[in-house]
Amino acid sequence: MNDQTPPRAKVLGGLTPYLQVDGAINAAEFYKRAFGAEEVFAYPPDDKGRTMHIHLYVNGSTLMLGDAYPEHGHPHQAAQGYTLQLHLGSDDIDAWWKRAVDAGCEVVTPLQVMFWGDRWGQVKDPFGVAWAMNAPVK
């Protein structure tokens, strides 16, 4: 490691979602407000305001994200076909849901008791990413 490279943040969990979004710095700030994310590392933005990497902790797990770099073969693609699932306690889900919606997430499926017996709902963030919340019924 050279003097320019900061130490790595610890990766939490065994599987890490890595999102490519349009506006990673803004998305990270939004995730702090909506999902209580903690930023543990970020490369500074380039001259276009993009960053190649941000490392967050959300609900005891790692979430990584970065901007698109079409000039390097990584164009922006809209989020589709996946959902980030938050597993929460029955006493926590209402507060998590309210915080996300109050921050600006769009309700896709209202929070409700589902056929498998848990409370579940889905929101979409302003960056097009689907988030679901699941908790056991009290």
Side-chain angles (χ1 to χ4, degrees), residues 104-122:
C105 285
E106 169 193 345
V107 175
V108 176
T109 304
L111 192 58
Q112 60 193 288
V113 177
M114 300 303 284
F115 66 89
W116 60 86
D118 289 344
R119 290 183 72 209
W120 185 90
Q122 185 180 57

mmCIF file of all heavy atoms in Angstrom, residues 104-122:
data_model
loop_
_atom_site.group_PDB
_atom_site.id
_atom_site.type_symbol
_atom_site.label_atom_id
_atom_site.label_comp_id
_atom_site.label_asym_id
_atom_site.label_seq_id
_atom_site.Cartn_x
_atom_site.Cartn_y
_atom_site.Cartn_z
ATOM 1 N N GLY A 104 -37.903 9.991 1.048
ATOM 2 C CA GLY A 104 -38.217 10.150 -0.369
ATOM 3 C C GLY A 104 -38.336 8.866 -1.161
ATOM 4 O O GLY A 104 -38.437 8.909 -2.393
ATOM 5 N N CYS A 105 -38.360 7.713 -0.501
ATOM 6 C CA CYS A 105 -38.599 6.458 -1.222
ATOM 7 C C CYS A 105 -40.068 6.385 -1.640
ATOM 8 O O CYS A 105 -40.959 6.811 -0.907
ATOM 9 C CB CYS A 105 -38.265 5.250 -0.345
ATOM 10 S SG CYS A 105 -36.499 4.963 -0.147
ATOM 11 N N GLU A 106 -40.298 5.824 -2.808
ATOM 12 C CA GLU A 106 -41.648 5.617 -3.330
ATOM 13 C C GLU A 106 -42.148 4.242 -2.873
ATOM 14 O O GLU A 106 -41.444 3.239 -3.028
ATOM 15 C CB GLU A 106 -41.600 5.666 -4.862
ATOM 16 C CG GLU A 106 -42.844 5.223 -5.557
ATOM 17 C CD GLU A 106 -42.623 4.998 -7.045
ATOM 18 O OE1 GLU A 106 -41.587 5.446 -7.590
ATOM 19 O OE2 GLU A 106 -43.478 4.340 -7.659
ATOM 20 N N VAL A 107 -43.360 4.202 -2.324
ATOM 21 C CA VAL A 107 -43.932 2.926 -1.901
ATOM 22 C C VAL A 107 -44.359 2.145 -3.142
ATOM 23 O O VAL A 107 -45.127 2.631 -3.967
ATOM 24 C CB VAL A 107 -45.136 3.135 -0.954
ATOM 25 C CG1 VAL A 107 -45.804 1.803 -0.627
ATOM 26 C CG2 VAL A 107 -44.691 3.839 0.318
ATOM 27 N N VAL A 108 -43.846 0.933 -3.279
ATOM 28 C CA VAL A 108 -44.212 0.035 -4.379
ATOM 29 C C VAL A 108 -45.246 -0.966 -3.884
ATOM 30 O O VAL A 108 -46.279 -1.161 -4.503
ATOM 31 C CB VAL A 108 -42.964 -0.691 -4.941
ATOM 32 C CG1 VAL A 108 -43.348 -1.703 -6.007
ATOM 33 C CG2 VAL A 108 -41.958 0.328 -5.476
ATOM 34 N N THR A 109 -44.955 -1.616 -2.758
ATOM 35 C CA THR A 109 -45.883 -2.539 -2.106
ATOM 36 C C THR A 109 -45.972 -2.112 -0.646
ATOM 37 O O THR A 109 -44.963 -2.131 0.065
ATOM 38 C CB THR A 109 -45.382 -3.999 -2.184
ATOM 39 O OG1 THR A 109 -45.173 -4.350 -3.551
ATOM 40 C CG2 THR A 109 -46.368 -4.956 -1.550
ATOM 41 N N PRO A 110 -47.157 -1.703 -0.193
ATOM 42 C CA PRO A 110 -47.275 -1.254 1.198
ATOM 43 C C PRO A 110 -46.869 -2.346 2.182
ATOM 44 O O PRO A 110 -47.017 -3.543 1.913
ATOM 45 C CB PRO A 110 -48.767 -0.930 1.340
ATOM 46 C CG PRO A 110 -49.244 -0.691 -0.047
ATOM 47 C CD PRO A 110 -48.416 -1.590 -0.924
ATOM 48 N N LEU A 111 -46.368 -1.917 3.311
ATOM 49 C CA LEU A 111 -45.986 -2.824 4.386
ATOM 50 C C LEU A 111 -47.227 -3.558 4.876
ATOM 51 O O LEU A 111 -48.226 -2.930 5.225
ATOM 52 C CB LEU A 111 -45.348 -2.016 5.520
ATOM 53 C CG LEU A 111 -44.629 -2.755 6.622
ATOM 54 C CD1 LEU A 111 -43.494 -3.608 6.076
ATOM 55 C CD2 LEU A 111 -44.079 -1.748 7.625
ATOM 56 N N GLN A 112 -47.176 -4.899 4.861
ATOM 57 C CA GLN A 112 -48.340 -5.705 5.214
ATOM 58 C C GLN A 112 -47.915 -7.118 5.598
ATOM 59 O O GLN A 112 -46.793 -7.529 5.320
ATOM 60 C CB GLN A 112 -49.309 -5.774 4.040
ATOM 61 C CG GLN A 112 -48.692 -6.402 2.790
ATOM 62 C CD GLN A 112 -49.520 -6.192 1.551
ATOM 63 O OE1 GLN A 112 -50.562 -6.806 1.420
ATOM 64 N NE2 GLN A 112 -49.063 -5.316 0.652
ATOM 65 N N VAL A 113 -48.810 -7.856 6.227
ATOM 66 C CA VAL A 113 -48.553 -9.259 6.535
ATOM 67 C C VAL A 113 -48.747 -10.049 5.241
ATOM 68 O O VAL A 113 -49.788 -9.955 4.591
ATOM 69 C CB VAL A 113 -49.486 -9.786 7.651
ATOM 70 C CG1 VAL A 113 -49.239 -11.271 7.887
ATOM 71 C CG2 VAL A 113 -49.265 -9.000 8.940
ATOM 72 N N MET A 114 -47.720 -10.810 4.884
ATOM 73 C CA MET A 114 -47.739 -11.557 3.624
ATOM 74 C C MET A 114 -48.128 -13.018 3.856
ATOM 75 O O MET A 114 -48.186 -13.479 4.989
ATOM 76 C CB MET A 114 -46.357 -11.478 2.963
ATOM 77 C CG MET A 114 -45.929 -10.043 2.647
ATOM 78 S SD MET A 114 -47.072 -9.123 1.579
ATOM 79 C CE MET A 114 -46.699 -9.850 -0.007
ATOM 80 N N PHE A 115 -48.328 -13.743 2.780
ATOM 81 C CA PHE A 115 -48.788 -15.132 2.851
ATOM 82 C C PHE A 115 -47.816 -16.041 3.592
ATOM 83 O O PHE A 115 -48.209 -17.070 4.128
ATOM 84 C CB PHE A 115 -49.079 -15.693 1.448
ATOM 85 C CG PHE A 115 -47.878 -15.820 0.568
ATOM 86 C CD1 PHE A 115 -47.117 -16.985 0.560
ATOM 87 C CD2 PHE A 115 -47.488 -14.772 -0.262
ATOM 88 C CE1 PHE A 115 -46.002 -17.103 -0.256
ATOM 89 C CE2 PHE A 115 -46.388 -14.885 -1.084
ATOM 90 C CZ PHE A 115 -45.633 -16.052 -1.080
ATOM 91 N N TRP A 116 -46.542 -15.664 3.664
ATOM 92 C CA TRP A 116 -45.569 -16.503 4.391
ATOM 93 C C TRP A 116 -45.539 -16.162 5.882
ATOM 94 O O TRP A 116 -44.808 -16.783 6.635
ATOM 95 C CB TRP A 116 -44.175 -16.406 3.775
ATOM 96 C CG TRP A 116 -43.564 -15.033 3.746
ATOM 97 C CD1 TRP A 116 -42.856 -14.433 4.744
ATOM 98 C CD2 TRP A 116 -43.600 -14.100 2.677
ATOM 99 N NE1 TRP A 116 -42.446 -13.173 4.364
ATOM 100 C CE2 TRP A 116 -42.893 -12.943 3.074
ATOM 101 C CE3 TRP A 116 -44.148 -14.097 1.395
ATOM 102 C CZ2 TRP A 116 -42.735 -11.826 2.263
ATOM 103 C CZ3 TRP A 116 -43.981 -12.985 0.588
ATOM 104 C CH2 TRP A 116 -43.289 -11.874 1.031
ATOM 105 N N GLY A 117 -46.335 -15.163 6.301
ATOM 106 C CA GLY A 117 -46.500 -14.887 7.710
ATOM 107 C C GLY A 117 -45.697 -13.728 8.272
ATOM 108 O O GLY A 117 -45.860 -13.381 9.436
ATOM 109 N N ASP A 118 -44.799 -13.126 7.489
ATOM 110 C CA ASP A 118 -44.011 -11.979 7.937
ATOM 111 C C ASP A 118 -44.616 -10.684 7.426
ATOM 112 O O ASP A 118 -45.370 -10.681 6.442
ATOM 113 C CB ASP A 118 -42.573 -12.065 7.416
ATOM 114 C CG ASP A 118 -41.755 -13.153 8.075
ATOM 115 O OD1 ASP A 118 -42.163 -13.652 9.141
ATOM 116 O OD2 ASP A 118 -40.691 -13.491 7.525
ATOM 117 N N ARG A 119 -44.243 -9.578 8.055
ATOM 118 C CA ARG A 119 -44.583 -8.257 7.514
ATOM 119 C C ARG A 119 -43.528 -7.928 6.475
ATOM 120 O O ARG A 119 -42.328 -8.086 6.703
ATOM 121 C CB ARG A 119 -44.588 -7.202 8.616
ATOM 122 C CG ARG A 119 -45.760 -7.402 9.555
ATOM 123 C CD ARG A 119 -45.836 -6.328 10.613
ATOM 124 N NE ARG A 119 -46.260 -5.072 9.999
ATOM 125 C CZ ARG A 119 -45.908 -3.873 10.456
ATOM 126 N NH1 ARG A 119 -45.130 -3.757 11.515
ATOM 127 N NH2 ARG A 119 -46.338 -2.784 9.863
ATOM 128 N N TRP A 120 -43.990 -7.444 5.324
ATOM 129 C CA TRP A 120 -43.093 -7.177 4.201
ATOM 130 C C TRP A 120 -43.652 -6.016 3.398
ATOM 131 O O TRP A 120 -44.870 -5.845 3.275
ATOM 132 C CB TRP A 120 -43.000 -8.428 3.317
ATOM 133 C CG TRP A 120 -42.021 -8.331 2.187
ATOM 134 C CD1 TRP A 120 -40.701 -8.679 2.221
ATOM 135 C CD2 TRP A 120 -42.277 -7.898 0.844
ATOM 136 N NE1 TRP A 120 -40.114 -8.475 0.993
ATOM 137 C CE2 TRP A 120 -41.076 -8.001 0.122
ATOM 138 C CE3 TRP A 120 -43.409 -7.423 0.185
ATOM 139 C CZ2 TRP A 120 -40.963 -7.642 -1.218
ATOM 140 C CZ3 TRP A 120 -43.309 -7.066 -1.150
ATOM 141 C CH2 TRP A 120 -42.092 -7.187 -1.842
ATOM 142 N N GLY A 121 -42.767 -5.231 2.847
ATOM 143 C CA GLY A 121 -43.143 -4.156 1.940
ATOM 144 C C GLY A 121 -41.946 -3.786 1.090
ATOM 145 O O GLY A 121 -40.809 -4.160 1.398
ATOM 146 N N GLN A 122 -42.228 -3.076 0.002
ATOM 147 C CA GLN A 122 -41.153 -2.700 -0.913
ATOM 148 C C GLN A 122 -41.265 -1.226 -1.282
ATOM 149 O O GLN A 122 -42.368 -0.715 -1.503
ATOM 150 C CB GLN A 122 -41.196 -3.541 -2.182
ATOM 151 C CG GLN A 122 -40.026 -3.279 -3.118
ATOM 152 C CD GLN A 122 -40.106 -4.133 -4.351
ATOM 153 O OE1 GLN A 122 -41.084 -4.094 -5.081
ATOM 154 N NE2 GLN A 122 -39.075 -4.922 -4.586
#
